[in-house]
Amino acid sequence: MDTALVLQNLLSPAILFFFLGVFAVLLGSDLEIPAPLPKLFSLYLLLSIGFKGGVELQASGLGPDVLLTIGAALLMAVLVPLAAFALLRTQFDVFNAAALAGAYGSISAVTFITAESFLRVLQIPSDGYMVAALALMESPAIIVALLLVKLAAQDRGAAADTGWGSVLHEAFLNSSVFLLVGSLLIGLLVAQYSPSGIAKMEPFTGQLFYGALCFFLLDMGIVAAQRLADLKQAGAFLIGFSLLTPLVNASVGLGLASVLHLSQGNALLFMVLCASASYIAVPAAMRMTVPEANPSLYISSALGMTFPFNIIVGIPLYLSVIERVLPGASL
Amino acid sequence: MDTALVLQNLLSPAILFFFLGVFAVLLGSDLEIPAPLPKLFSLYLLLSIGFKGGVELQASGLGPDVLLTIGAALLMAVLVPLAAFALLRTQFDVFNAAALAGAYGSISAVTFITAESFLRVLQIPSDGYMVAALALMESPAIIVALLLVKLAAQDRGAAADTGWGSVLHEAFLNSSVFLLVGSLLIGLLVAQYSPSGIAKMEPFTGQLFYGALCFFLLDMGIVAAQRLADLKQAGAFLIGFSLLTPLVNASVGLGLASVLHLSQGNALLFMVLCASASYIAVPAAMRMTVPEANPSLYISSALGMTFPFNIIVGIPLYLSVIERVLPGASL
Amino acid sequence: MDTALVLQNLLSPAILFFFLGVFAVLLGSDLEIPAPLPKLFSLYLLLSIGFKGGVELQASGLGPDVLLTIGAALLMAVLVPLAAFALLRTQFDVFNAAALAGAYGSISAVTFITAESFLRVLQIPSDGYMVAALALMESPAIIVALLLVKLAAQDRGAAADTGWGSVLHEAFLNSSVFLLVGSLLIGLLVAQYSPSGIAKMEPFTGQLFYGALCFFLLDMGIVAAQRLADLKQAGAFLIGFSLLTPLVNASVGLGLASVLHLSQGNALLFMVLCASASYIAVPAAMRMTVPEANPSLYISSALGMTFPFNIIVGIPLYLSVIERVLPGASL
Amino acid sequence: MKRLDLLVNERELELLLKRLEQVGVPGYSVNRHVTGRGGSGTVVSEAMEFSGFGANAHVIVFCDSSLLEPLAAELKPLLKTYGGVAYVSDAKPL
Amino acid sequence: MKRLDLLVNERELELLLKRLEQVGVPGYSVNRHVTGRGGSGTVVSEAMEFSGFGANAHVIVFCDSSLLEPLAAELKPLLKTYGGVAYVSDAKPL
Amino acid sequence: MKRLDLLVNERELELLLKRLEQVGVPGYSVNRHVTGRGGSGTVVSEAMEFSGFGANAHVIVFCDSSLLEPLAAELKPLLKTYGGVAYVSDAKPL
Ligand SMILES: Nc1ncnc2c1ncn2[C@@H]1O[C@H](COP(=O)(O)O)[C@@H](O)[C@H]1O
Ligand SMILES: Nc1ncnc2c1ncn2[C@@H]1O[C@H](COP(=O)(O)O)[C@@H](O)[C@H]1O
Ligand SMILES: Nc1ncnc2c1ncn2[C@@H]1O[C@H](COP(=O)(O)O)[C@@H](O)[C@H]1O
Ligand code: NA
Ligand code: NA
Ligand code: NA
């Protein structure tokens, strides 16, 4: 693994502020980012990444490359939860296995954003249509997880509100999916019909973006470190799962990226999408539709372990592998 | 009505984010901008528009044109609530008629800001002193409404705190009037005595402005759509009133603008001031001084109907009329 | 005192927004910046000042000048609370005297930031390592105050959690110290190892800074004016103390600055550090470790009197003295 | 002792607290940003806090039962004018 | 009259309020952003509000005691499925 | 069963919750950002939350009456040192 890349990542403001949040908890500082400020930053990041992605998607168009990449993303969003469920069932009941599978089949937008910022520092280009892949990978795993519960636990008693209507609602209309997709569509429309709007949005969605990401990662460091304590109780299997799953999924992602001849930048983003786990959209859906599952299992592993692993170790690791495996990939 | 203008407006980021908020409610997404974030954005917008208006007002000075325009604005702020009251009394009791009249006699700063952004996209100039007109049009209708209540309902019982002291207090010191006027004066002072401060404020009050407006309009879309449901219960008369009043007031405004030889940009802003209704300053005052009125009537019609009508249909409509009626108006 | 300097300060946006907040309270406007928005701005200001200070500290290095200045800062942070305690004991019990001494021995980051902005308007340079002095002056007075309580009130009963562990914890890990020092270290590391990160942070930590300061000072004006009422009850001695202490401490600071041949800009920042009193870190610590002290004494004098005095009168006054006393000081 | 729970709109909070102080309650606690639905059916939501509407405030007063009568005299006209509810329960210090 | 205190996760709030309205309570007050610890030991903190977790909501209902039975019938299944607690005390209008 | 209402400054909340857990309460709910006025006349306002002052927290505990005595033993010294109030009422599960 390329030490220069690792250091470049570790010593970027984004990761250092994440560590600052982690240390605040470990050292017992009373530093906190009071609610609803973290929500402000997460709404802002989703709105900005969506808008910018839409603008770039309009520029790149929906050619066969784009559609193939998106198809591969959807494939992973269905396969990963199925495979994860099979593995998790060896240790957990149907409900917890399905909820965890849903989290790991879906994605983390902040991990994606951190990877994109990393690429930008290294001046490695990537394409705006990867944001469309991001948006489309959020929901399928939620549906797969619910399907698994319905199939595997047919006698669960009709306690929760688990009709298909409400499942699809949770999958496609939960706030983070809705805001991301909506902003993407707005970016598309503005780029097509009202391009002067792009420049007017730029200081807000563009220039401010990296600083706001750092501020949010400071908070993410705090909550990830708080969750780490929970995770200890969850046991060795789940800790191993939350560290190995990103590696396995990233490898499969790399294979697909290689088959699809993705550029190095797009390949990294694709691997990160496969490797990351959801701690916003999926928990929100699972808590309503699979209340039998223990939320501290799925949120603590996704947020306390997989998220830090990906942004600290994963991103530079995946890129250094890409540089070896896809050296001739079109930049 | 000029289709290009309509599309230009409809497909601007500001209006598209407004629609995104509306759709969030209509589709049942759980997207929300938690309190007090909307307040952050509304404070920010008032502070910025005030400051920039003050800076420009100092540049333009208080010539006869400026004073005449401001005089016309004050005239409208007194006439509109009187006329509206006469009409509304045919359907509502004194209290509700007066509160509604107050809302429609006053203005909506966000509608003004949206119109100004629209002008900027079209590169049609407008003058900073229009912000002074905005500031001065907020309060008079509050006083007129209270006067009407005092005259028409002399036997109301001394329940509410309705002495003149508290009425003037509500009219001139409520937070939105106070912040707008205060920031305007600060802009004036800074431009006169400490002009280096203008450039230091610019990234905050200038560059960020449009993006922050879009974020706020996302929230306004959510609350407007929530209010729409209330409005259905209020009946056809009020819905008609909330759509026709802006058109009538804008027409009178156009007449005055034409008499005063306002430039096209200033004429649009003037029409928008006449056409818009208050959902911040006036409800705040009415709830204290006319507690007998039903708040969901005045806030739902101003926020759920007149506001969306103005920013979606009104602004491009008024401008296309201006382009026909005031073609020779000085740009 | 140089009238031009005074006016330059009084008519800067920062001070004018502070006054706007003061007037809001005095006139009885309902303007408020709802929680946790003030916290957002204070976290942002600490993060930004720390980060930028770290970047500049890396550039200047830790030469003997820097170390001497920091040593002088630490000296003041120990001497001031001792001297203040001796004086305050003539009027207050041990607990209140120690808490007040702690507040005045520590510093106010916002006063420092306001002074720095003032220098920037006048284009007088100052050095980034002064932020290190700022960071290091926050904690010592907390420890001194606690030592004084332990020595002077040995029979206080073990009610509060006042072991050394928790005292050091309050002194060095309270959120404002932690965020400032952490951001400073991040700035240092980024400047050294990942300098491309500086430019990416700039729009957030740099361009936005002055506007955000103005917004925060609007809130500070509101809370300072609210505190003023409390202070009246505290009596003439404390009012005198809160106005004279900054002058005395600034004078001692000026002496040290002159001995150390600080530049004019650094000398002003040093005087401001000596003259300012803490209303964030110290009250947070005192309320836990000296619960016997009356918080409204120390927070009202630091926030309601000393803070406004320093930013309105102190900063231009200190600079005009510097211009006379240190005329040949290296710019 | 008694516990008094008051639910009023935030805009009337100042007025209400002034009356409480006049009656001489030993203290009170205020929880703002409360939402709800009242007798008139009006829904109060956080979404409108940015506007002139505000949300509700929940005021809790622990006081001697002897204060209930003067409190009722002071507060009932206010509640009648501006809306809001007031309920009393028993409580005793821990 | 009675006072009913409900503590549930914010995500279930909509469902709960719908049931309250079905039973026909005269009103309710909602306090969101409540944190806590429950029977399962799970700690709810404001720090997770940005995520899909949300915080708790505290719902207060003042109502006639005759409503307690239908309320129990409507709410208990909900509390059993999603967690949360419900307690009743005596209260009377001021 | 009993309902315990505690009002303390947010800065002491951690200490208080630790004591509650030591006594073994079955759960608790915390409402932060509460303002108020206490015996000493000090007004706590949201405006000072950015500073070292914080606001108050309102902690509600539903527990068996047998826990009241150990709770009083643990909490009273804390309340005496740092201020705050504690009141008990009757409550029963819905
Ligand atoms: N029965 C009730 N139980 C709990 N809270 C209530 C009740 N009735 C009214 N409220 C609260 O008091 C506020 C004002 O009530 P009203 O004046 O009836 O609209 C409502 O928004 C609720 O927050
Ligand atoms: N004994 C209790 N006293 C006060 N609040 C409680 C109690 N038990 C549970 N809660 C609240 O109800 C929420 C859900 O409880 P549970 O379903 O037991 O996890 C907790 O997060 C607490 O806020
Ligand atoms: N009688 C009371 N009723 C309701 N809340 C109270 C009462 N007394 C004190 N409090 C609350 O407890 C906090 C601390 O009280 P104290 O320690 O007396 O200053 C106050 O800020 C109030 O929020
Ligand atoms: Na994934
Ligand atoms: Na109008
Ligand atoms: Na000092």
Side-chain angles (χ1 to χ4, degrees):
Chain A
M1 183 168 159
D2 192 335
T3 352
L5 277 183
V6 174
L7 276 184
Q8 183 87 42
N9 184 52
L10 273 185
L11 296 167
S12 67
I15 302 303
L16 288 171
F17 277 108
F18 179 82
F19 277 119
L20 190 61
V22 171
F23 281 123
V25 175
L26 297 186
L27 297 174
S29 168
D30 62 338
L31 179 66
E32 64 163 359
I33 316 291
L37 302 180
K39 185 92 183 188
L40 170 65
F41 286 97
S42 74
L43 291 172
Y44 164 80
L45 292 174
L46 289 171
L47 186 154
S48 297
I49 189 86
F51 182 79
K52 291 185 293 184
V55 169
E56 292 175 39
L57 186 57
Q58 194 272 338
S60 69
L62 278 177
D65 286 10
V66 178
L67 291 176
L68 274 174
T69 308
I70 287 176
L74 288 175
L75 185 71
M76 286 300 285
V78 172
L79 288 187
V80 168
L82 291 176
F85 183 73
L87 177 62
L88 288 159
R89 272 298 273 129
T90 64
Q91 304 280 330
F92 296 103
D93 63 19
V94 172
F95 306 111
N96 283 305
L100 277 162
Y104 282 82
S106 184
I107 51 80
S108 147
V110 182
T111 311
F112 179 90
I113 288 168
T114 310
E116 208 188 42
S117 294
F118 185 57
L119 288 173
R120 214 161 286 175
V121 169
L122 299 172
Q123 307 198 294
I124 300 176
S126 66
D127 286 303
Y129 63 73
M130 293 308 293
V131 177
L134 163 73
L136 291 172
M137 279 180 89
E138 282 207 274
S139 310
I142 295 174
I143 297 167
V144 173
L146 267 304
L147 257 179
L148 288 169
V149 169
K150 278 189 193 277
L151 291 175
Q154 283 161 337
D155 55 340
R156 65 197 279 230
D161 185 8
T162 53
W164 275 110
S166 93
V167 168
L168 293 173
H169 192 279
E170 292 291 339
F172 292 111
L173 291 172
N174 83 67
S175 61
S176 63
V177 173
F178 183 84
L179 183 57
L180 184 64
V181 173
S183 303
L184 189 106
L185 293 176
I186 290 178
L188 264 171
L189 287 169
V190 168
Q192 181 84 52
Y193 299 106
S194 172
S196 69
I198 301 173
K200 294 181 75 186
M201 292 295 281
E202 220 286 314
F204 187 74
T205 53
Q207 290 180 33
L208 226 57
F209 193 75
Y210 191 74
L213 173 63
C214 290
F215 202 112
F216 187 60
L217 284 175
L218 173 62
D219 184 62
M220 292 296 287
I222 294 173
V223 294
Q226 288 170 343
R227 285 286 138 187
L228 219 54
D230 279 28
L231 202 58
K232 277 189 219 135
Q233 302 171 348
F237 179 83
L238 194 54
I239 295 178
F241 176 84
S242 61
L243 293 177
L244 290 175
T245 306
L247 291 175
V248 173
N249 290 352
S251 307
V252 180
L254 179 66
L256 280 169
S258 152
V259 169
L260 294 169
H261 298 292
L262 295 193
S263 73
Q264 290 194 349
N266 290 351
L268 178 68
L269 295 180
F270 190 71
M271 287 175 76
V272 160
L273 287 177
C274 298
S276 70
S278 168
Y279 45 77
I280 298 189
V282 175
M286 291 302 138
R287 124 150 259 144
M288 291 311 285
T289 48
V290 194
E292 299 92 338
N294 177 359
S296 71
L297 291 183
Y298 51 87
I299 207 159
S300 298
S301 56
L303 184 53
M305 211 73 191
T306 305
F307 174 72
F309 175 78
N310 273 323
I311 65 166
I312 298 169
V313 181
I315 292 173
L317 174 65
Y318 308 151
L319 187 60
S320 71
V321 175
I322 287 172
E323 291 188 340
R324 266 162 227 214
V325 176
L326 304 177
S330 64
L331 272 181
Chain B
M1 182 166 160
D2 190 334
T3 352
L5 277 184
V6 174
L7 275 184
Q8 182 86 43
N9 184 51
L10 272 186
L11 297 167
S12 68
I15 303 304
L16 288 171
F17 277 108
F18 180 82
F19 276 120
L20 190 60
V22 171
F23 282 122
V25 175
L26 297 186
L27 297 175
S29 169
D30 62 340
L31 180 65
E32 64 163 356
I33 316 290
L37 302 180
K39 185 92 183 190
L40 170 65
F41 286 96
S42 75
L43 291 172
Y44 164 79
L45 292 174
L46 289 171
L47 186 155
S48 296
I49 189 87
F51 182 79
K52 290 185 293 183
V55 168
E56 291 175 39
L57 186 57
Q58 194 272 337
S60 69
L62 278 177
D65 285 11
V66 178
L67 292 176
L68 274 175
T69 307
I70 287 176
L74 288 175
L75 185 72
M76 287 299 286
V78 173
L79 288 187
V80 168
L82 291 175
F85 183 74
L87 177 62
L88 288 158
R89 271 301 272 130
T90 62
Q91 303 281 330
F92 296 103
D93 63 20
V94 172
F95 306 111
N96 283 305
L100 277 161
Y104 282 83
S106 184
I107 50 81
S108 147
V110 182
T111 311
F112 180 90
I113 288 169
T114 310
E116 209 188 40
S117 294
F118 185 57
L119 288 173
R120 214 160 286 174
V121 169
L122 299 173
Q123 307 196 296
I124 300 176
S126 66
D127 285 303
Y129 63 75
M130 292 307 294
V131 177
L134 163 73
L136 292 171
M137 278 180 89
E138 282 208 272
S139 311
I142 296 174
I143 297 168
V144 173
L146 267 303
L147 257 179
L148 289 168
V149 170
K150 278 188 193 279
L151 291 174
Q154 283 160 337
D155 56 340
R156 65 197 281 230
D161 184 10
T162 53
W164 275 110
S166 93
V167 168
L168 293 173
H169 191 279
E170 292 291 339
F172 292 110
L173 291 172
N174 83 67
S175 61
S176 64
V177 174
F178 183 84
L179 182 57
L180 184 64
V181 172
S183 302
L184 188 106
L185 292 176
I186 290 178
L188 264 172
L189 287 169
V190 168
Q192 181 84 52
Y193 299 107
S194 171
S196 68
I198 300 172
K200 294 181 74 187
M201 292 295 281
E202 220 285 316
F204 187 75
T205 52
Q207 291 180 31
L208 225 58
F209 193 76
Y210 190 74
L213 174 63
C214 289
F215 203 112
F216 188 60
L217 284 175
L218 174 62
D219 184 62
M220 293 295 287
I222 294 173
V223 294
Q226 289 171 342
R227 285 287 138 186
L228 218 54
D230 279 29
L231 201 59
K232 277 188 220 136
Q233 301 171 346
F237 179 84
L238 194 54
I239 294 178
F241 176 83
S242 60
L243 292 177
L244 290 176
T245 305
L247 291 175
V248 173
N249 291 351
S251 308
V252 180
L254 179 66
L256 279 169
S258 151
V259 169
L260 294 169
H261 298 293
L262 295 192
S263 72
Q264 290 194 351
N266 290 350
L268 178 68
L269 295 180
F270 190 72
M271 286 174 76
V272 160
L273 286 177
C274 298
S276 69
S278 168
Y279 44 77
I280 297 190
V282 175
M286 291 302 139
R287 124 149 257 145
M288 291 311 286
T289 48
V290 194
E292 299 92 338
N294 177 358
S296 71
L297 291 184
Y298 50 86
I299 207 159
S300 298
S301 56
L303 184 52
M305 212 72 190
T306 305
F307 174 73
F309 174 79
N310 273 322
I311 65 167
I312 297 168
V313 181
I315 292 174
L317 173 65
Y318 308 152
L319 187 60
S320 72
V321 175
I322 286 172
E323 290 188 339
R324 266 161 228 215
V325 176
L326 304 177
S330 65
L331 272 183
Chain C
M1 183 166 160
D2 190 335
T3 353
L5 278 183
V6 174
L7 275 184
Q8 183 87 42
N9 185 51
L10 273 185
L11 296 167
S12 67
I15 303 303
L16 288 170
F17 276 108
F18 180 82
F19 277 119
L20 190 61
V22 171
F23 282 123
V25 175
L26 297 185
L27 297 175
S29 168
D30 63 340
L31 180 65
E32 64 163 357
I33 316 289
L37 301 180
K39 185 93 183 187
L40 170 65
F41 286 96
S42 75
L43 290 172
Y44 164 80
L45 291 175
L46 289 172
L47 186 155
S48 297
I49 188 88
F51 182 79
K52 291 185 292 183
V55 168
E56 291 175 37
L57 186 58
Q58 195 272 337
S60 68
L62 278 178
D65 286 12
V66 178
L67 292 176
L68 274 174
T69 308
I70 287 176
L74 288 176
L75 186 72
M76 287 299 286
V78 172
L79 288 186
V80 167
L82 290 175
F85 183 73
L87 177 62
L88 288 158
R89 273 299 273 131
T90 64
Q91 304 280 329
F92 296 103
D93 64 19
V94 172
F95 306 112
N96 283 306
L100 278 161
Y104 282 82
S106 183
I107 51 80
S108 146
V110 181
T111 310
F112 180 90
I113 289 168
T114 310
E116 209 187 41
S117 295
F118 185 56
L119 288 174
R120 214 160 285 176
V121 169
L122 299 172
Q123 306 197 295
I124 301 176
S126 65
D127 286 302
Y129 64 75
M130 293 307 293
V131 177
L134 163 74
L136 291 171
M137 279 180 88
E138 281 206 274
S139 310
I142 296 174
I143 297 168
V144 173
L146 267 303
L147 258 178
L148 289 168
V149 169
K150 277 190 194 277
L151 291 175
Q154 283 160 338
D155 56 339
R156 65 197 280 230
D161 184 8
T162 53
W164 276 111
S166 93
V167 169
L168 293 173
H169 192 278
E170 291 290 339
F172 292 111
L173 291 172
N174 83 65
S175 62
S176 64
V177 173
F178 183 85
L179 183 56
L180 184 64
V181 172
S183 303
L184 188 106
L185 292 176
I186 291 177
L188 264 172
L189 286 170
V190 168
Q192 181 83 52
Y193 299 106
S194 172
S196 68
I198 300 173
K200 294 181 74 187
M201 292 295 281
E202 222 285 316
F204 187 75
T205 53
Q207 290 180 34
L208 225 58
F209 193 76
Y210 190 74
L213 174 63
C214 290
F215 203 112
F216 188 60
L217 284 175
L218 173 62
D219 184 62
M220 292 295 288
I222 294 173
V223 293
Q226 288 170 342
R227 286 287 138 185
L228 218 54
D230 279 27
L231 202 58
K232 277 188 219 136
Q233 302 171 347
F237 179 84
L238 194 55
I239 295 177
F241 176 83
S242 61
L243 292 177
L244 290 176
T245 305
L247 291 175
V248 173
N249 290 351
S251 307
V252 180
L254 178 66
L256 279 169
S258 152
V259 170
L260 293 169
H261 297 293
L262 295 191
S263 72
Q264 290 194 350
N266 290 350
L268 178 68
L269 295 180
F270 190 72
M271 287 175 76
V272 160
L273 286 177
C274 297
S276 69
S278 167
Y279 45 76
I280 297 189
V282 175
M286 292 301 137
R287 125 150 256 145
M288 292 310 286
T289 48
V290 194
E292 299 92 338
N294 177 358
S296 72
L297 291 183
Y298 51 86
I299 208 158
S300 297
S301 56
L303 184 53
M305 211 72 190
T306 306
F307 174 72
F309 175 77
N310 273 322
I311 66 166
I312 297 168
V313 181
I315 292 173
L317 174 64
Y318 308 152
L319 187 60
S320 72
V321 176
I322 285 172
E323 291 188 339
R324 266 162 227 215
V325 177
L326 304 177
S330 64
L331 272 182
Chain D
M1 288 190 65
K2 293 288 178 184
R3 170 205 175 103
L4 176 61
D5 283 280
L6 297 155
L7 287 146
V8 301
N9 187 279
E10 285 185 2
R11 299 274 306 162
E12 290 103 61
L13 182 58
E14 289 289 298
L15 280 175
L16 184 99
L17 296 182
K18 227 178 279 170
R19 308 263 169 119
L20 291 181
E21 309 220 336
Q22 277 164 14
V23 173
V25 299
Y28 53 78
S29 293
V30 181
N31 182 24
R32 289 175 54 180
H33 317 296
V34 171
T35 57
R37 198 175 62 71
S40 60
T42 319
V43 173
V44 173
S45 86
E46 270 188 47
M48 297 307 293
E49 271 194 49
F50 83 97
S51 79
F53 247 25
N56 289 336
H58 179 187
V59 180
I60 303 174
V61 184
F62 293 105
C63 66
D64 202 86
S65 34
S66 65
L67 284 178
L68 287 183
E69 220 171 292
L71 280 171
E74 278 291 332
L75 302 181
K76 274 186 173 168
L78 208 69
L79 297 172
K80 197 159 164 269
T81 305
Y82 292 113
V85 297
Y87 286 90
V88 181
S89 353
D90 290 319
K92 59 173 203 288
L94 176 71
Chain E
M1 286 190 67
K2 294 288 177 183
R3 170 206 175 103
L4 174 62
D5 284 280
L6 297 155
L7 287 146
V8 300
N9 187 280
E10 284 185 3
R11 299 273 307 163
E12 290 103 60
L13 183 57
E14 287 291 297
L15 279 176
L16 185 99
L17 297 181
K18 226 177 279 169
R19 308 265 169 117
L20 291 181
E21 309 221 334
Q22 277 164 14
V23 174
V25 300
Y28 52 79
S29 293
V30 180
N31 181 25
R32 287 174 56 178
H33 318 296
V34 171
T35 58
R37 198 174 62 70
S40 61
T42 318
V43 173
V44 173
S45 86
E46 269 187 47
M48 298 305 295
E49 271 194 49
F50 82 97
S51 79
F53 248 24
N56 289 335
H58 179 187
V59 179
I60 302 174
V61 184
F62 293 104
C63 64
D64 202 87
S65 33
S66 66
L67 284 177
L68 287 184
E69 220 171 293
L71 280 171
E74 278 291 332
L75 302 181
K76 273 185 174 168
L78 208 69
L79 297 173
K80 195 158 164 272
T81 304
Y82 292 114
V85 296
Y87 286 89
V88 181
S89 353
D90 289 320
K92 60 174 204 287
L94 176 70
Chain F
M1 287 191 66
K2 294 288 177 182
R3 170 205 174 104
L4 175 61
D5 284 279
L6 296 155
L7 287 146
V8 300
N9 187 278
E10 284 185 2
R11 299 273 307 162
E12 290 102 61
L13 182 58
E14 288 290 298
L15 279 174
L16 185 99
L17 297 181
K18 228 178 277 170
R19 308 263 171 120
L20 291 181
E21 309 221 334
Q22 276 163 15
V23 173
V25 299
Y28 52 80
S29 293
V30 180
N31 181 24
R32 288 174 56 178
H33 319 295
V34 171
T35 58
R37 199 174 62 71
S40 61
T42 319
V43 173
V44 174
S45 86
E46 270 187 47
M48 297 305 293
E49 270 194 50
F50 83 96
S51 80
F53 249 22
N56 289 336
H58 179 188
V59 179
I60 302 174
V61 184
F62 293 105
C63 65
D64 203 86
S65 34
S66 65
L67 283 177
L68 287 184
E69 222 172 291
L71 280 171
E74 279 291 331
L75 301 181
K76 273 185 173 167
L78 209 69
L79 297 171
K80 198 161 162 268
T81 303
Y82 293 112
V85 298
Y87 286 89
V88 181
S89 354
D90 289 319
K92 61 173 203 287
L94 176 70

